[in-house]
Every structure is written in C-alpha cells, then in structure tokens.
Amino acid sequence: MSTIPMPETGGEQRPAQGRRLSPRTADALRRVVVLAAAEARDRGEPIAGRLGLTRRDVAAILAALPDLAAVVGDLALGADHVPDEEEDQVRLLLTISLADEGDDGRRMAAIMARRAMEPDHLWQDMGLACRGDLSALIAELFPALHARNTRSMRWKKFFYRELCEAEGFVLCAAPSCGACADHAACFGPEDGESRLAEIRRAAN
C-alpha cells in the first residue's frame, strides 16, 4: 500500500461554517482521511466512496482541515456515496445517537458506518491507534450509545446487537453472554497494528 504522511495537527480546527472541531474529532478525521486516501489510490477508487460521504461533505472536511488537501491531492472525489441497506442502518443508529446534530457529527456518523463495513476491527478501519481511541471518540460524539455498551463489547458487534434488538430480534442463541461459546468474538481483546502504522512500515 502506498504511503501518505500524516499532516501536522494543531489543536482545535475551525470548520468553514464557523464551529470548532474538538481535537479528538479533528484527529480522527485526519486519520481516517489519510487511510481512505491510501486505499483509494491503491484500489483506483474515489475517496468519497471510501469515506461514505458526498462530494460536498468531502469538500467541507478539506475546508475545515486544509492540511488534508495535500493528502488527498488529485484523487477523484467520485460520485456521492450511496450506502446499501446494511450500512444505512448502522448510519441511522449512529445518527440518532449524536450528541450534536450538526453537520460535523452527521459526517462522522456516515464515515463510521462506512468504515464498519470493512473487515478489520473498527478502530483499525478508522485509522485510529487503538480501541481506546475509538471508545473515546464514540463517547464524545455518541454518548448515549457509548453508555449502553456497559460490558465493552466490540463496537461492530455492539452496533449490530443494537440494530437487532431495535427490530425485536435476538442476535444469538446463547441464553447469556457468559454462557456463549463465542464469547471471545464479542468481548475478546482487540489487538493488532494500526492501519496507518502498517502503511508506514510497508513503505520502509
């Protein structure tokens, strides 16, 4: 995978509409855009699709965090991303859990839902350094959702459990998590290398 350096960070950033991104949200956006840009170049795909956003939303992020312009470079934004039904359900779950219903939160909900469709741990597919960083981001942006994950279930698993329960379904056949033979699949440690560290290592 091609290497793209992380842009320098500088505390809170002011989006084009005048509001401020928190340092945590700004850092998460930088990381996921860097990762999505690397994927887009390697796969020949538009970056909007890798982020789950419209062209307008990608442009708004670049306006809010202008240091990312060099990361995206001449990548095609592509057509507006249209989520499939599964992704749309995760996006809705996140959107209704937002602490702030502004555009910044809406974009992060869309990004997180799109990245949840990728195969690795969600923190890895968001470009974050560890699960703790993802949990802190969810606590900031989606506090009600974070509060419901009382047993630190893996976030992708938790999203789907929430969706199933909302529809009146039971996610698994075990009578309780403690009695489940696949307990580790939902609650096991989320170890591994960050995707950005992997990109840098592969480039050396």
Side-chain angles (χ1 to χ4, degrees):
M1 184 176 280
S2 58
T3 181
I4 300 178
M6 277 289 291
E8 294 183 4
T9 60
E12 289 189 346
Q13 302 293 319
R14 186 184 295 275
Q17 64 267 41
R19 302 172 59 203
R20 287 189 179 275
L21 293 171
S22 73
R24 178 171 286 116
T25 299
D27 180 67
L29 281 171
R30 285 189 173 93
R31 288 175 175 275
V32 74
V33 169
V34 168
L35 179 56
E39 292 173 350
R41 283 196 169 84
D42 282 356
R43 304 179 190 194
E45 299 176 5
I47 192 170
R50 302 305 303 169
L51 290 170
L53 297 174
T54 65
R55 293 169 57 94
R56 182 174 181 177
D57 282 332
V58 175
I61 290 173
L62 297 182
L65 301 171
D67 48 305
L68 287 173
V71 172
V72 175
D74 59 356
L75 276 173
L77 295 181
D80 291 350
H81 177 72
V82 179
D84 62 19
E85 183 177 359
E86 180 181 355
E87 181 185 336
D88 193 52
Q89 289 299 308
V90 176
R91 183 187 290 202
L92 178 61
L93 171 70
L94 293 166
T95 300
I96 64 177
S97 303
L98 279 167
D100 183 340
E101 297 180 357
D103 286 340
D104 302 325
R106 176 186 57 77
R107 290 184 192 109
M108 188 59 83
I111 290 170
M112 198 172 290
R114 170 62 187 86
R115 302 308 296 178
M117 301 299 105
E118 295 297 307
D120 293 327
H121 296 310
L122 183 54
W123 66 266
Q124 291 174 311
D125 288 319
M126 288 290 295
L128 300 173
C130 63
R131 175 194 159 90
D133 287 351
L134 174 62
S135 294
L137 181 66
I138 292 173
E140 177 175 291
L141 296 175
F142 315 102
L145 191 65
H146 184 274
R148 293 199 296 274
N149 192 3
T150 57
R151 299 184 62 189
S152 296
M153 178 179 276
R154 290 180 178 179
W155 283 109
K156 284 186 186 180
K157 293 282 189 180
F158 182 74
F159 292 167
Y160 284 98
R161 189 182 75 170
E162 289 280 295
L163 290 173
C164 286
E165 289 182 353
E167 294 295 327
F169 297 116
V170 177
L171 184 61
C172 60
S176 68
C177 289
C180 181
D182 294 324
H183 183 275
C186 292
F187 297 96
E190 295 187 52
D191 300 325
E193 186 177 27
S194 78
R195 294 286 304 281
L196 294 181
E198 179 185 324
I199 291 171
R200 296 190 189 99
R201 179 175 52 76
N204 293 331

